[in-house]
């Protein structure tokens, strides 16, 4: 039965998230996560048919982790190696200038993804490790790379160009690439479907608010701007990432605080954002601290909302008006407070949130603006795994 199913793999530096699913029906046959690869005590949680199987013990590398996962698949009724799967879809973070559509993987593609590691040193090597492991364990199964940057490949020149020395930029691949593209593309498509409108006729703003966070402005199905840039550090305030800062801060820290460049990178990526301001990076904990009267948590929240609204304003003007504003990912889907605060006081722009719709306990894609509001405000659950599985199936079908 596995032949219709696509295995989607999202591998990070010390983790692998995976899902076995039917791209046609979106039904998930199994899913799980390998954690703490390379550490003294690793772990795997594998879910299939309502049951959870766990593994604890050292997991040397990505191949060892996937091998254990395949054993767990076999235990729970999906012997991937013997029954086969239709394809494996890999999430790859950085496609650089080279990759802008889902791509069938061969040796040359693996090498090219590896060469792009200088642009995404935390992500691309981990993605390559996942690809190599899956190719080794499932020889003969087509493997497809789906790039986080691809949707934004065609950003207009004015939006993708940094105003730095053009020769330096060209020599080092410095431009705005954008990330979370699979999610922005999927969610904007779902938003158009929910409204029963042709995506080609809509101006949309999408807020993907998870641990990482980004916004995009989309005209007629094509992105015209997005908040993330050369790396996923630019733009909105995130769980642990600063988002936009004055680049002069980097030089100041190196000169005055005597930090080296790796320390600065670590500071901005892992110890900044909500965590840097409040001490916690999980939005639910932030909310608890705010409810308990913690002023640092309150400030973190206010900075987060301020940055969201700044981009909302920018994108409204860039698009010259908007038909739909959509919230997605962990915070976007689950925090009515964030949605209400992000859009408060904008009725003169046709933007409003209906309090009852906004707080309704509903997991499905839905409209949260009053029905007579000019702008549709939506909550649409993202599903990057499904989008990757569908892209992989299409690439395989096209041969
Ligand atoms: P993601 O990266 O999309 O998995 O989103 C993770 C973020 O979503 C974390 O900051 C979580 O705290 C946040 N999140 C998850 N559930 C909720 C919730 N019910 N209310 C507020 N934030 C949530």
């Amino acid at each position: 039965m596995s032949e219709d199913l696509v295995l989607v793999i999202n591998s990070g530096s010390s983790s692998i998230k995976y899902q076995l699913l039917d791209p046609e029906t979106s039904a998930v046959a199994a899913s799980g996560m390998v954690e703490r690869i390379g550490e003294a005590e690793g772990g795997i949680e594998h879910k299939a048919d309502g049951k959870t199987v766990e593994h604890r013990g050292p997991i040397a590398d990505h191949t060892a982790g996937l091998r254990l996962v395949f054993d767990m698949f076999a235990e729970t009724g999906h012997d991937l190696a013997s029954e086969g799967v239709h394809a494996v879809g890999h999430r790859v973070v950085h496609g650089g200038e080279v990759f802008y559509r889902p791509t069938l993987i061969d040796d040359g593609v693996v090498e090219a993804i590896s060469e792009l590691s200088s642009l995404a040193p935390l992500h691309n090597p981990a993605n390559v490790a996942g690809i190599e492991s899956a190719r080794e364990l499932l020889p003969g199964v087509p493997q497809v790379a789906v790039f986080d940057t691809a949707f934004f490949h065609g950003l207009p020149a004015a939006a993708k160009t940094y105003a730095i020395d053009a020769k330096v930029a060209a020599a080092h691949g410095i431009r705005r690439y954008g990330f979370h593209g699979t999610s922005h593309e999927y969610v904007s498509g779902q938003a158009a479907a929910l409204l029963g409108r042709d995506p080609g006729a809509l101006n949309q703003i999408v807020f993907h608010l998870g641990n990482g966070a980004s916004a995009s402005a989309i005209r007629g199905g094509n992105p015209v701007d997005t908040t993330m840039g050369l790396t996923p550090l630019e733009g909105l305030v995130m769980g642990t990432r600063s988002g936009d800062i004055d680049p002069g801060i980097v030089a100041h820290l190196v000169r005055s605080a005597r930090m080296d460049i790796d320390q600065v990178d670590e500071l901005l990526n892992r110890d900044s954002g909500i965590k840097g301001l409040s001490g916690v990076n999980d939005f639910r904990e932030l909310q608890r601290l705010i409810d308990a009267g913690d002023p640092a948590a309150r400030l973190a929240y206010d900075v987060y909302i301020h940055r969201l609204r700044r981009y909302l304003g920018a994108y409204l003007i860039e698009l010259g008006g908007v038909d739909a504003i959509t919230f997605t990912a962990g915070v976007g889907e689950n925090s009515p407070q964030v949605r209400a605060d992000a859009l408060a006081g904008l009725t003169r722009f046709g933007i409003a949130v209906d309090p009852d719709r906004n707080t309704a306990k509903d997991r499905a894609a839905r409209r949260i603006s009053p029905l007579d509001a000019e702008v549709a405000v939506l909550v649409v659950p993202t599903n990057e795994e499904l989008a990757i599985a569908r892209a992989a199936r299409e690439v395989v079908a096209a041969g």
Side-chain angles (χ1 to χ4, degrees):
M1 68 169 284
S2 298
E3 286 120 64
D4 300 328
L5 303 180
V6 174
L7 177 64
V8 173
I9 294 181
N10 179 356
S11 72
S13 53
S14 65
S15 69
I16 306 170
K17 279 190 236 159
Y18 60 89
Q19 228 178 64
L20 181 68
L21 75 165
D22 185 334
E24 194 71 43
T25 64
S26 74
V28 176
S31 65
M33 181 152 178
V34 185
E35 288 178 290
R36 299 181 300 281
I37 294 170
E39 293 179 28
E41 177 79 353
I44 304 177
E45 201 174 272
H46 178 84
K47 292 186 188 143
D49 304 323
K51 287 190 286 276
T52 302
V53 195
E54 288 190 32
H55 171 90
R56 295 271 166 266
I59 300 167
D61 53 26
H62 286 72
T63 307
L66 267 191
R67 196 165 271 139
L68 287 165
V69 167
F70 281 26
D71 292 344
M72 291 165 125
F73 268 115
E75 271 173 48
T76 52
H78 296 281
D79 191 343
L80 301 183
S82 67
E83 289 172 24
V85 290
H86 185 66
V88 182
H90 294 271
R91 175 182 185 221
V92 178
V93 167
H94 219 305
E97 294 276 11
V98 188
F99 298 108
Y100 48 90
R101 56 172 67 103
T103 302
L104 194 62
I105 294 173
D106 59 20
D107 291 346
V109 169
V110 178
E111 202 175 314
I113 294 171
S114 201
E115 279 168 11
L116 290 166
S117 292
S118 67
L119 290 172
L122 298 177
H123 296 107
N124 275 33
N127 300 153
V128 167
I131 290 170
E132 285 180 333
S133 306
R135 289 179 90 199
E136 188 183 327
L137 295 172
L138 291 174
V141 177
Q143 315 248 343
V144 176
V146 180
F147 298 90
D148 232 33
T149 47
F151 183 53
F152 298 114
H153 180 77
L155 280 182
K160 75 176 179 192
T161 305
Y162 288 108
I164 64 171
D165 184 315
K167 289 190 280 306
V168 173
H172 298 282
I174 296 172
R175 52 157 277 195
R176 307 188 64 256
Y177 290 94
F179 297 85
H180 292 148
T182 307
S183 179
H184 285 275
E185 183 173 21
Y186 174 81
V187 165
S188 56
Q190 294 292 111
L194 182 67
L195 296 172
R197 300 275 304 275
D198 172 7
L202 289 179
N203 282 353
Q204 299 198 46
I205 296 174
V206 175
F207 286 106
H208 175 112
L209 309 177
N211 249 324
S214 61
S216 64
I218 302 170
R219 179 183 290 126
N222 300 309
V224 294
D225 210 346
T226 190
T227 53
M228 286 176 166
L230 174 77
T231 75
L233 183 55
E234 192 180 343
L236 302 177
V237 176
M238 310 181 213
T240 65
R241 286 174 245 167
S242 62
D244 296 338
I245 57 164
D246 177 349
I249 292 173
V250 175
H252 182 67
L253 288 172
V254 170
R255 286 196 203 104
S256 300
R258 305 241 170 262
M259 287 187 172
D260 68 28
I261 205 65
D262 289 329
Q263 288 172 313
V264 176
D265 208 29
E266 177 93 4
L267 174 81
L268 298 178
N269 278 290
R270 297 196 196 278
D271 296 319
S272 296
I274 296 289
K275 182 182 173 204
L277 292 174
S278 73
V280 299
N281 70 324
D282 190 295
F283 235 83
R284 284 161 293 196
E285 286 177 48
L286 183 76
Q287 200 64 56
R288 261 176 243 128
L289 289 177
I290 293 171
D291 294 345
D294 184 312
R298 180 76 236 175
L299 177 63
Y301 182 83
D302 290 345
V303 174
Y304 182 91
I305 295 292
H306 179 81
R307 188 79 52 83
L308 277 188
R309 290 173 65 91
R310 178 187 283 174
Y311 276 108
L312 174 67
Y315 289 176
L316 269 175
I317 298 299
E318 279 185 43
L319 290 167
V322 67
D323 301 298
I325 299 172
T326 304
F327 292 89
T328 193
V331 177
E333 291 168 31
N334 295 302
S335 176
Q337 190 71 49
V338 166
R339 298 191 295 257
D341 291 339
L343 304 184
L346 301 177
T347 46
R348 71 161 63 180
F349 299 100
I351 298 170
V353 169
D354 178 280
D356 291 336
R357 289 166 175 271
N358 188 30
T359 51
K361 296 259 174 286
D362 188 348
R363 309 285 318 154
R366 63 197 186 276
R367 184 172 175 141
I368 59 168
S369 45
L371 284 181
D372 59 355
E374 208 179 309
V375 177
V377 180
L378 309 174
V379 178
V380 173
T382 193
N383 193 340
E384 288 163 287
E385 289 79 10
L386 178 61
I388 291 171
R390 288 187 173 159
R393 183 187 53 176
E394 268 174 41
V395 168
V396 172

